[in-house]
Amino acid sequence: MAKKELILGGGCFWCTEAVFELLKGVSDVESGYANGHTLNPTYRDICTGDTGHVEVIKITYDDTLITSDTLLDIFFVVHNPTTLNQQGADRGTQYRSTILYTDEETKEAAEAALEAAQKDYKDPIVTTIEPLECYYTAEDYHQDYYRQNSMQGYCMAVIPPKLAKLKAKFGKEMA
């Protein structure tokens, strides 16, 4: 097994985590905060929009079972990469669309995926591709949030459409 990690921000981490946890080859999806200026931020800090952090997920996967290219393709399908600092009703820089890289290979894959995804959108994609500067794991109650809170109103309204997109376009990738 060749373990790799990919860090993505596509709005609320509860939503993106729910999608990527369902994929073959993904062994873990962890919600966290990245690239801000506050040390050891809390969810309350992040929600102010003043820390500079973005809600992200860290995907740990086996690249012999699923590729970073496939993960990036899924990323561009299950969220709206054309809205600046917004996903649905969630607004603020903490919800920005971003791909964070730690090596040149991931940066190049992200650039290629963004370019390929643009053909599927009328508006320009605003997803940033940035080096990972810092990462903090979110509080325990954010981990596996959808699995533990699927009947919560926000989850019921926002996550099922993302899961439907995943199944429609990437059903063969699902576990």
Side-chain angles (χ1 to χ4, degrees), residues 8-9 14-15 17 20 24 27 33 35 53 56 59 61 72-73 79 101 104 107 109 115 120-121 127 148 173-175:
L8 305 171
W14 298 342
C15 301
E17 179 189 69
F20 287 91
K24 288 186 273 188
S27 58
Y33 315 116
N35 283 17
H53 292 86
V56 296
I59 304 165
Y61 65 101
L72 290 166
D73 290 346
H79 86 294
Y101 64 88
E104 201 61 30
K107 179 183 179 188
E115 185 178 327
D120 296 326
Y121 293 94
T127 303
Q148 297 178 35
E173 304 297 337
M174 295 175 70

Side-chain angles (χ1 to χ4, degrees), residues 81-144:
T82 69
T83 53
L84 185 62
N85 301 329
Q86 176 185 350
Q87 286 299 305
D90 294 327
R91 290 183 164 84
T93 57
Q94 67 271 33
Y95 300 114
R96 66 190 179 268
S97 177
T98 190
I99 302 167
L100 303 173
Y101 64 88
T102 57
D103 58 46
E104 201 61 30
E105 179 184 356
T106 303
K107 179 183 179 188
E108 290 171 7
E111 290 169 344
L114 188 151
E115 185 178 327
Q118 184 60 68
K119 71 182 180 341
D120 296 326
Y121 293 94
K122 178 183 72 166
D123 295 324
I125 290 177
V126 297
T127 303
T128 61
I129 299 170
E130 311 169 31
L132 177 65
E133 296 170 2
C134 63
Y135 173 84
Y136 300 94
T137 303
E139 295 85 346
D140 286 346
Y141 70 92
H142 292 296
Q143 308 306 324
D144 298 312

Side-chain angles (χ1 to χ4, degrees), residues 20 68-78 112-113 116-117 169-170:
F20 287 91
S68 64
D69 292 341
T70 299
L71 294 170
L72 290 166
D73 290 346
I74 291 167
F75 172 71
F76 282 111
V77 167
V78 299
K169 190 156 183 179
F170 297 97

Side-chain angles (χ1 to χ4, degrees), residues 9-69:
C12 171
F13 48 32
W14 298 342
C15 301
T16 50
E17 179 189 69
V19 167
F20 287 91
E21 284 182 330
L22 297 177
L23 300 172
K24 288 186 273 188
V26 171
S27 58
D28 189 44
V29 182
E30 179 180 84
S31 292
Y33 315 116
N35 283 17
H37 51 76
T38 300
L39 294 177
N40 301 309
T42 65
Y43 184 65
R44 184 174 293 211
D45 296 333
I46 300 298
C47 286
T48 67
D50 296 333
T51 69
H53 292 86
V54 58
E55 288 191 13
V56 296
I57 54 170
K58 179 168 59 172
I59 304 165
T60 304
Y61 65 101
D62 178 343
D63 73 348
T64 65
L65 299 175
I66 191 165
T67 66
S68 64
D69 292 341

